[in-house]
Amino acid sequence: MKNKFILSIFVMSLFPHNGKSATTTQLQSVLQKYGVPMISDCGTKNEAHYNGSAPECQEWGMYYDKPNRRCDVCPIGTATDSKTDTACKTIVCPNGNVGTIINDGKCPAGYILQQITGGSCPVGSVLTKM
């Protein structure tokens, strides 16, 4: 109840006191901007946390889905560059390198897996033969 009261005061302070109410669109925009989660996402990894400038996901490989005010996992073959991204990018490896999607946690014999944290294979993050 205390959080709802504080949120109400916060939202009311964002709009001028000209006798008019905020529209649903205005309220939705404020909730999205500050990453206020849906009740069902509170306390889960899908809950975004406002970092002072943008909603931020708790884990790498997740993006902030603004319309739904939640963090979602990027589809296989895509990634994010930061925890504040609002979309996933297709992973594109540099010429001469090949990416292999590993979704069972097991690498092919003789290979090791290193994290790819963005839409391209950063230096030092390639599938390498041991």
Side-chain angles (χ1 to χ4, degrees):
M1 184 67 175
K2 181 180 176 185
N3 289 342
K4 287 183 183 179
F5 178 72
I6 291 171
L7 179 61
S8 297
I9 291 173
F10 172 73
V11 170
M12 288 174 15
S13 71
L14 296 174
F15 300 101
H17 299 285
N18 57 7
K20 295 182 181 178
S21 300
T23 66
T24 302
T25 303
Q26 289 172 319
L27 290 172
Q28 191 64 262
S29 176
V30 170
L31 295 174
Q32 290 172 353
K33 178 179 178 179
Y34 293 99
V36 178
M38 300 287 195
I39 292 172
S40 60
D41 290 325
C42 290
T44 71
K45 71 177 186 174
N46 299 98
E47 179 182 3
H49 296 183
Y50 188 71
N51 68 10
S53 61
E56 182 174 281
C57 295
Q58 300 173 55
E59 296 181 9
W60 284 101
M62 296 184 86
Y63 69 99
Y64 180 62
D65 179 357
K66 205 171 177 178
N68 294 309
R69 301 190 334 252
R70 70 188 321 256
C71 292
D72 280 322
V73 176
C74 288
I76 292 176
T78 64
T80 56
D81 292 320
S82 74
K83 291 183 178 183
T84 58
D85 282 352
T86 56
C88 298
K89 301 172 187 166
T90 302
I91 297 171
V92 179
C93 293
N95 288 338
N97 292 287
V98 178
T100 301
I101 295 173
I102 300 168
N103 56 16
D104 62 1
K106 299 176 184 174
C107 295
Y111 289 86
I112 58 172
L113 180 66
Q114 292 182 327
Q115 179 68 34
I116 296 172
T117 56
S120 60
C121 296
V123 175
S125 294
V126 294
L127 192 60
T128 55
K129 186 143 176 97
M130 294 188 333

